[in-house]
Structure formats: C-alpha cells, structure tokens
Amino acid sequence: MRRTSLKTAKCPVARTLDVVGDWWTLLIVRDALKGVRRFGEFQKNLGMAKNILSARLREMVAAGIMEMRPAEDGSAHNEYHLTEAGQRLQTVLVALRQWGEQYLFEPGEPMMMAVDRDNEQPLRRIELAARDGRALTSADVMVKEGRAAEPAKSSRRVSQRAR
Amino acid sequence: MRRTSLKTAKCPVARTLDVVGDWWTLLIVRDALKGVRRFGEFQKNLGMAKNILSARLREMVAAGIMEMRPAEDGSAHNEYHLTEAGQRLQTVLVALRQWGEQYLFEPGEPMMMAVDRDNEQPLRRIELAARDGRALTSADVMVKEGRAAEPAKSSRRVSQRAR
C-alpha cells in the first residue's frame, strides 16, 4: 500500500524514495559506482543474504537503475551495470556521504573518502544554490505546486512501464 | 545486527543510512523543513501509524536531528524542531528530489517543486564538482581510505552518545 501511494505522489522526494528508499539499494548503487559488477562480489562486499540481494537487483533492473549484461570476459556470469539514471544517483550518495562526514565521525577517525580521481582531493561540498548561483540555506527554500518540465528531458526518463 | 554494522562502518554513506535510511525519516525531515512542528500534523500529512511516527521521532531526537520544544503558543503540545544537523539534510532531500524530477515524472505532470523563496524559481541543479570547481561525472570519482577532518568541525557533530 505504501508503495502505491509513494509511486504516484506529486512529491519527487516521495517517488524517489519509492525506488531507492531501501538502504540496501543505495549501498548496492554505491558499490556499483566503485566498479562492482557481479552478484557474488555484491554479496561478499555487503554481507547480504542472497535472496535479499537477488530481489533488490531484480527491482533495480525493473526500475531502470541497473541493467544485466553478459560478462565482459565471456564467462557464464551475468554482470550488473548502472544505467545512466543509476549513475546519476551519485549526487544522492555524495549528499549522504558529506552529511555523514560532517556529523557522524570523530576527528581523525578512519573513513572511506570520495575523491577526485585526478588528484585524489575531496570533492567540493554540495551547497544549495539559486539558478543565478546565490547560495541558499534551507530557510530560503519553499515548496509549491508546479508541473514537470515539458521538453527534451523525456528521453532520459526511467520507463514508467518498468516501475 | 545491520544497525550495528552500519553505525561503525568506515563509509559515511553507510553511517548516514543508519541514521536516515528509513524512508519515513526523510519524509518527516521533508515536512519539518516545510514548517510542520506538531505530532498531529506530521501524522495527518504523512498518513503514518501513530506508533511508527512516535518511534521515528524518538529516534530522530536521540540521533540529534530533531529536538523537542514547548509549543510557541504556550499550549500543552510539544513541538519538534530540526537541529542544525537536521536542517543540513536538505541537500540530501534536494538530491533525491532532482533525481525524481528528472526520471520519475511525465512531462507536464503535476509536481511539488522546491523553489527559491525570493523569486519562486527552481533551484540550481546539484552537480558534482572538484575542489577547484571543475564539473565531475560519476566516473571521475573514486573512493579511498582516509581520515575524518581534524579541526573545528567537531563542534557541529551529532552526539555519539545519543546514537
């Protein structure tokens, strides 16, 4: 029942949580962004029960976040690859990551860090900004009724059928 | 068991999901950012069972995301206010929101939009950037072992005790 109500919500936060609101899903995306491709690797890295992992991956493929491909080395294993939509969840992961870095670690505590591959420096902190670039705080943001953009974006949408 | 392993993970994504990985929690933060303060209002807006809402709010207070205060109008009701750490979850919500706007709505479909309070225009799209401002794609980001920053930030941390 909750699934239905979130899926058709007018709020994009709610709809997104319908797709990725299970924390396993975001941890799977995290590992896929690091280059994990195979069922056994996900299972080992995440320590998940096979049946739960299997269900999550199936849902992610159905939602258009992941796709299955034959293994690149020609072996019998299938590989799971993030679609473009799945890769774009990186912003969600970085926002979660930076919040955790700020609030959930002791100074000097060992921590996995997301860095720029070029120079291994941490990423710029995500800040909210207006269209013209002005920095915004949470108090500067309000929510109002509107409509989804009309044009070109539609080609990038996740299939509604698949959801 | 999963709670324990995420709470002490070296990955900030995992630790953050330990605190906010329940989708109700993020919907409560969303509504609190809109100005919802009272138990009954959260309950009505979200259509949650009272016992679940009550448990979530208690956890959020313990985690340092929310705090309880006497009602501003002097009535007997308590109010729930986001702490600074809670307000900072706005970046996570905007990242979720923008992903949903892009992938989960038909063109022209009615949608609740986050806008700049000043001019009611949509926010700038969150993009990943290097420290020097270069735009990064998900392929430009890697994860490596490091340590949490040493200095001033510690004053802003969520209490470990409370977690």
Side-chain angles (χ1 to χ4, degrees), chain A residues 22-40:
Chain A
D22 179 272
W23 53 278
W24 280 128
T25 303
L26 287 174
L27 292 176
I28 292 169
V29 172
R30 178 197 66 177
D31 283 5
L33 283 165
K34 280 190 236 170
V36 175
R37 298 280 175 265
R38 295 204 177 166
F39 188 93

Side-chain angles (χ1 to χ4, degrees), chain B residues 42-98:
Chain B
F42 285 113
Q43 210 246 320
K44 191 175 138 210
N45 284 2
L46 294 167
M48 293 175 71
K50 284 185 183 180
N51 60 331
I52 296 175
L53 175 59
S54 174
R56 286 296 165 278
L57 287 170
R58 200 163 47 235
E59 287 162 12
M60 292 166 78
V61 169
I65 297 172
M66 287 272 214
E67 57 193 15
M68 250 193 340
R69 298 188 201 158
E72 280 165 6
D73 65 3
S75 72
H77 296 285
N78 281 312
E79 293 186 347
Y80 292 88
H81 290 251
L82 291 168
T83 61
E84 189 199 321
Q87 288 168 22
R88 292 257 173 177
L89 286 167
Q90 178 78 284
T91 54
V92 173
L93 289 175
V94 171
L96 289 164
R97 174 182 295 282
Q98 292 183 339

Side-chain angles (χ1 to χ4, degrees), chain A residues 2 15 23 99 103-105 108-109 111 113 115-117 134 140 142 144 146-148 156-157, chain B residues 2 15 23 85 103-105 108-109 111 113 115-117 134 140 142 144 146-148 156-157:
Chain A
R2 68 122 167 146
R15 284 203 197 178
W23 53 278
W99 191 87
Y103 292 108
L104 303 176
F105 282 79
E109 195 178 352
M111 179 171 81
M113 303 177 65
V115 297
D116 179 355
R117 198 179 286 278
R134 271 175 301 121
D140 299 323
M142 59 172 260
K144 68 163 196 173
R147 286 187 179 274
R156 297 164 131 187
R157 284 188 48 262
Chain B
R2 68 123 166 145
R15 284 202 197 180
W23 53 276
Y103 293 107
L104 303 176
F105 282 78
E109 196 178 352
M111 179 170 81
M113 303 176 64
V115 298
D116 179 354
R117 198 179 288 276
R134 272 174 301 121
D140 299 323
M142 59 172 259
K144 67 163 196 172
R147 286 187 179 274
R156 296 163 130 186
R157 285 186 48 259

